[in-house]
């Protein structure tokens, strides 16, 4: 920025760094600067969508995401971030559509699969959540949270022995995972 104070890419990168350090307000400032200097570049708009969601400005977040979508509908991050916006707005059906699109655009994007399962769960479609989280678990076997989620889904679907197996597996993997004990007790 000392060499070029209008370098949108530099502002975008600073915004990403701010997000990683959970300085969401600061990330909004940086992404807005990137948009100011490159208004037709989709990435800062997609990133603004995520950061505005992080600071609880869901309407502004949604507008930024939809603007990014108009600029380029083939960017996975745009759909993924909009999925998060709709989860936060308690609109899981819309979230499902955006997470599905992000998994179509990039079938290796694990977070999109995890959150697609979450959106199905929030929508009450436990069988579909189980299917998506099962796929996610195959690709990410060390993610303990998905084991917990699979146990919870099994319990909700009346698969008691499968739920017990998931919770015991989780406790074996991490004896400090308190939610697994709670879930096992509930089962």
């Amino acid at each position: 920025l000392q060499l070029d104070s209008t370098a949108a890419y530099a502002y975008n990168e600073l915004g990403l760094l701010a997000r990683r350090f959970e300085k969401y307000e600061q990330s909004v400032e940086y992404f807005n600067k990137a948009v100011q200097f490159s208004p037709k570049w989709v990435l800062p708009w997609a990133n603004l969508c995520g950061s505005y969601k992080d600071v609880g400005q869901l309407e502004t977040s949604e507008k930024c995401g939809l603007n990014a979508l108009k600029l380029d509908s083939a960017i996975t991050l745009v759909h993924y971030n909009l999925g998060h916006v709709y989860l936060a707005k308690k609109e899981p059906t819309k979230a499902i559509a955006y997470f599905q699109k992000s998994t179509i655009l990039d079938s290796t994007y694990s977070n999109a699969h995890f959150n697609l399962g979450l959106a199905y769960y929030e929508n009450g479609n436990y069988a579909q959540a189980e299917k998506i989280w099962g796929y996610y678990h195959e690709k990410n076997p060390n993610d303990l949270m998905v084991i917990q989620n699979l146990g919870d889904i099994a319990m909700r679907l009346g698969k008691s022995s499968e739920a017990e197996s998931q919770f015991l597996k989780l406790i074996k993997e991490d004896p400090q995972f308190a939610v697994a004990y709670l879930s096992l007790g509930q089962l």
Side-chain angles (χ1 to χ4, degrees):
L1 289 173
Q2 287 176 347
L3 295 173
D4 180 1
S5 64
T6 66
Y9 62 89
Y11 285 112
N12 189 66
E13 291 302 318
L14 286 169
L16 291 172
L17 287 170
R19 278 194 86 194
R20 285 189 179 89
F21 286 105
E22 298 179 2
K23 297 179 179 179
Y24 302 119
E25 293 285 346
Q26 189 177 40
S27 72
V28 167
E29 292 173 26
Y30 284 131
F31 292 137
N32 273 314
K33 279 284 206 186
V35 164
Q36 176 187 342
F37 293 117
S38 188
K40 297 207 183 288
W41 185 25
V42 67
L43 286 180
W45 283 106
N47 291 328
L48 268 172
C49 175
S51 285
Y52 275 122
K53 187 209 72 86
D54 291 334
V55 297
Q57 295 184 33
L58 298 180
E59 297 306 319
T60 304
S61 175
E62 180 181 23
K63 287 176 187 174
C64 290
L66 293 174
N67 190 57
L69 201 60
K70 287 178 192 172
L71 292 170
D72 190 343
S73 63
I75 303 294
T76 304
L77 181 65
V78 175
H79 296 277
Y80 179 77
N81 284 351
L82 278 166
H84 272 289
V85 170
Y86 291 117
L87 270 182
K89 290 180 79 172
K90 307 289 187 215
E91 297 179 42
T93 302
K94 286 183 178 180
I96 288 167
Y98 285 104
F99 287 133
Q100 280 179 332
K101 183 66 174 182
S102 65
T103 63
I104 291 167
L105 291 170
D106 183 354
S107 63
T108 65
Y109 195 13
S110 294
N111 289 343
H113 286 96
F114 183 89
N115 286 292
L116 176 58
L118 183 59
Y120 277 122
Y121 180 89
E122 293 293 324
N123 208 29
N125 189 339
Y126 301 130
Q128 195 63 24
E130 179 182 47
K131 179 180 172 185
I132 297 297
W133 279 335
Y135 172 80
Y136 173 87
H137 182 56
E138 287 175 20
K139 304 294 182 191
N140 303 277
N142 296 324
D143 185 335
L144 299 182
M145 196 64 224
V146 78
I147 298 170
Q148 172 65 37
N149 292 354
L150 286 167
D152 182 56
I153 288 289
M155 190 166 53
R156 289 180 182 275
L157 292 173
K159 301 175 183 178
S160 297
S161 61
E162 186 177 322
E164 180 181 24
S165 173
Q166 294 289 4
F167 298 138
L168 291 174
K169 176 182 175 182
L170 184 54
I171 290 168
K172 183 178 179 185
E173 289 290 320
D174 182 359
Q176 303 302 313
F177 205 99
V179 176
Y181 292 100
L182 177 64
S183 297
L184 193 56
Q186 290 171 333
L187 177 66

